[in-house]
Amino acid sequence: MCGIVAYLGDKSAYDVIIKGLQRLEYRGYDSAGIALHNEKSLNVFKQKGKVADLQKHVEKEDKSGGIGIGHTRWATHGLPNNINAHPHKSGDKQIALVHNGIIENYSILKEELIARGHKFESETDTEVLVHLIEDIKKENKCDLFDAVRIALNEVVGAYAIVAIDKNNPHELVAARKSSPLVIGLGENEYFLASDATPIVEYTKNVVYLDDGEIARISLEKGLSLKTIQNKNKTPYIQELEMHLEALEKGGYEHFMLKEIYEQPQSIKDSMRGRLKANKSLVGLGGLKDFDEKILNAKRLIFVACGTSWHAGLVGEYLFEEIARIPVEVEYASEFRYRNPIINEDDVVIAISQSGETADTLAAIKLAKDNNATIIGICNVVGSSISRETHCGSYTHAGPEIGVASTKAFTAQVTVLTLMALMVGKKKGTIANERFNRLLIDLNSIPEKLESVLKQDKAIEKIAKIYHKVNNALYLGRGINFPLALEGALKLKEISYIHAEGYPAAEMKHGPIALIDEEMPVFVIATKDSSYEKIVSNIQEVKARKGKIIAIVSDGDKEVKAISDHVIEIPKTDELLVPLLATVPLQLLSYHIAVMRGCNVDQPRNLAKSVTVE
Ligand code: G6P
């Protein structure tokens, strides 16, 4: 949450930062702000709303300068208004600072600073930090770098920060703990950002700051790193693999639609080099050093949040069926505060698109302290979770920019499927024939998805009929139950329609009371081992005049005869149905949200990367 961009070099800092903030708007869009230094003055502009509102606000202002810091905010402390927007300035207006994270002990620090004569304008924890830095700088008569370093030793909480000193327009100071920060190294120019997307068009050489590190970025002296305990560190320069086209809408109206349509390719990318169906081979290189641990695991614990948690639920069915290992799927936020029982022979699998979700990170740390083996399934390369885990597999779905997760989910499910197959084969818990058939079916998923996407127009027509409803119910059984949850989540997060997902048989224990002729019920009713049961559940809805929109296997007649609408998907092994059936649910939510005039890519109150607890 919250996006940071900063620049130092000979370009217009304003242009680089604004473009970068637009790329990071998925991290929050409550307000935006920028501080620019033009060798004469340090000018700060801030505006409630989106980056575009900031641009309008500064139209007539002096935006010159080759150094600056920018911020797009997801409000934690204080209302989303102009005063609480970042950058925040010190009391003497000499230092400006942007911050992503939460300073947990800010109220104690604030009291102390007030007692020392500081006056605050905003309700934010960030303003407290910049005053603390100012106080230390004056007290110790040191430069900004040392003041920031000393201040951070007094801070409890999470932060990625970048600061600038009015008296030194050739230097930026940056630091991180628990919130991400990447430094891009150009030709005598430097870029800083919460992720690499604002940087990739200028340079591929980056340094990911580690927890507890502080960077001095100077036009004259380049980049130097220290820990906040004042130990020198050598920057580790990595090459970005990201491509600029992946960050553009490429002709689609929204990123979400583009990302839905990318799924045949992103699933292929998730499987690339890992699946050779014709040779009956499946392998995940990133796990090889921990093979034994995984094979001998007494239990797998998936920790995740949001859509990634739903992928974990699908993973539970896959691993229990294919690899016969007991699985628990945990909301990271609950797991970390529950004093859970974790043993050395547990394998904890953290699933996260961003690799930055604060609760998932904390759950990993807890499991690590209890000596469990930790595997990461992340999309963002170099992210905190991918670095905190013992081993892992990237999902390789490419950057996901729409706040509602789509291609990252199917990529997570793909990796979990590959992993379950690899473990099942090694453990001998899956018959060869089923294993080979699953490999062939998995390999053909991208092609089958193309045919699902061809039904988009028909799906849009169904969306048209139901886009004005206030409630919706989603039902599924077995491995499709998590899809019911995911379908409902997609609808509520982008169209603000109240929706609930249920295991179809549980409907009788409550939700059935909601069904009347106004209620659309989305059912995943493909031909699998629970087909007959779900047909009965559909009949129960029908008997109460609910409207049925069913996702069925190609050629299905029985469900079609009792449903109001059906969306057919190609036949596949029932363990792979989630990869196909989730796409019509994504498209339905997308079209409904567009028809309701909602901001599909940036739904209200949400952020894509939740770096606060
Ligand atoms: C936010 C996003 C969701 C995402 C969840 C977990 O709520 O809006 O789309 O599923 O965080 O994020 P992660 O990056 O850990 O998968």
Side-chain angles (χ1 to χ4, degrees), residues 305-308 351-355 357 403 405 412 493 607-608 610:
C305 302
T307 289
S308 298
I351 308 170
S352 174
Q353 188 287 126
S354 62
T357 303
V403 165
S405 186
Q412 289 165 343
E493 63 185 343
K608 188 153 187 70
V610 182

